[in-house]
Amino acid sequence: QLQLQESGPGLVKPSETLSLTCSVSGGSISSSPDFWGWIRQPPGKGLEWIGSIYYSGSTYYNPSLKSRVTISVDTANNQFSLKLTSATAADTAVYYCVREQKCSGGACYATEYWGQGTLVTVSS
Amino acid sequence: DIQMTQSPSSLSASVRDRVTITCRASQSVDSYLNWYQQKPGKAPRLLIFAASTLQSGVPSRFSGSGSGTDFTLTISSLQPEDFATYYCQQTYGAPPRTFGQGTRLEIK
C-alpha cells in the first residue's frame, strides 16, 4: 500500500523559503507514469493545486505561484520536495503531498493517494 | 487556465435525502473530471474519476455524470457519514489542475 508522508518546518518567517519533503513508501517514485505533486488548503478554505512533477522529470506549476515554486525529485531516497520562496501569511496552509495516477482502464488522471497533510504557518 | 465553479457552496439536507452538486468548467474538459470528499481534519478522498466511474470501495449511492463543461455529483440517499465537503477537479490534458471551490453538505 502506497504511503506518503510530509515533513518540514511548521513555522516559517515571512520572506523566507517554505520547504517541505514528501517521503514515499510502498512504491517507487520513478517506476510508473505518475505525477507527484503538492496541494494546499488555507485554514477554513478550499483546495489549491500547487504543482507536480511527472516521473520523467517534467514540472508543472500553478500559474499564480509559478515564479516562487520549485518541485524536485530525489529518486535515490524515494522523495520529492517543494520549495516556495518569499513566503507570506497568505501561504499559511495545510500542505498535502499527493500521487496523481492514471485512472484504471482509462486515459484520465486522478489523485488517489494523499499524505496526511502538514500545517505550515508563516509568521514572525 | 480552466476555472471550475461549483454550486451550491453549501447545502443543508436530511438523512435519506437525494442531493445533487453541480460543477461547471470554463471550457470543455471532456470527461476528465474527478470528485473528492473531505471530512474535517482529513485529507480528501477520491470518490469518482472520469466523471462517472466510482472509485473502488465507494458506496453505490454516489454517482457522477456529465461531460464537456457541466457535471453533477449525486448522492441518492444521504447517510450520516456523507456530511462533508465535496470538491470537483479537472484533469484535462497536462497540468495545471484546478479544483472547484467546494460544496459543504450539512445536516438539516
Side-chain angles (χ1 to χ4, degrees), chain A residues 60-117:
Chain A
Y60 304 86
Y61 300 125
N62 185 323
S64 69
L65 300 170
K66 188 173 184 176
S67 63
R68 300 194 292 130
V69 173
T70 303
I71 295 175
S72 59
V73 165
D74 176 359
T75 53
N77 290 301
N78 220 34
Q79 297 176 332
F80 61 102
S81 299
L82 168 71
K83 291 190 186 301
L84 182 65
T85 60
S86 305
T88 71
D91 296 314
T92 294
V94 173
Y95 286 75
Y96 296 99
C97 61
V98 301
R99 186 185 89 168
E100 182 185 302
Q101 71 277 359
K102 208 164 190 180
C103 305
S104 55
C108 64
Y109 278 84
T111 302
E112 181 181 359
Y113 293 98
W114 300 66
Q116 65 184 24

Side-chain angles (χ1 to χ4, degrees), chain A residues 35 39 41 45-49 52 60-64 96 100-101 103-104 107-112 114-117, chain B residues 1 31-32 34 36 38 41-46 48-50 53 55 87 89 91 93-101:
Chain A
F35 293 91
I39 292 167
Q41 185 170 37
K45 296 188 178 180
L47 302 169
E48 181 179 31
W49 184 86
S52 60
Y60 304 86
Y61 300 125
N62 185 323
S64 69
Y96 296 99
E100 182 185 302
Q101 71 277 359
C103 305
S104 55
C108 64
Y109 278 84
T111 302
E112 181 181 359
W114 300 66
Q116 65 184 24
Chain B
D1 302 346
S31 293
Y32 298 110
N34 306 320
Y36 300 86
Q38 186 181 32
K42 300 293 188 182
R45 170 196 181 196
L46 176 65
I48 289 170
F49 60 89
T53 304
Q55 171 71 357
Y87 295 93
Q89 180 205 33
T91 57
R97 310 307 194 196
T98 40
F99 289 93
Q101 80 276 18

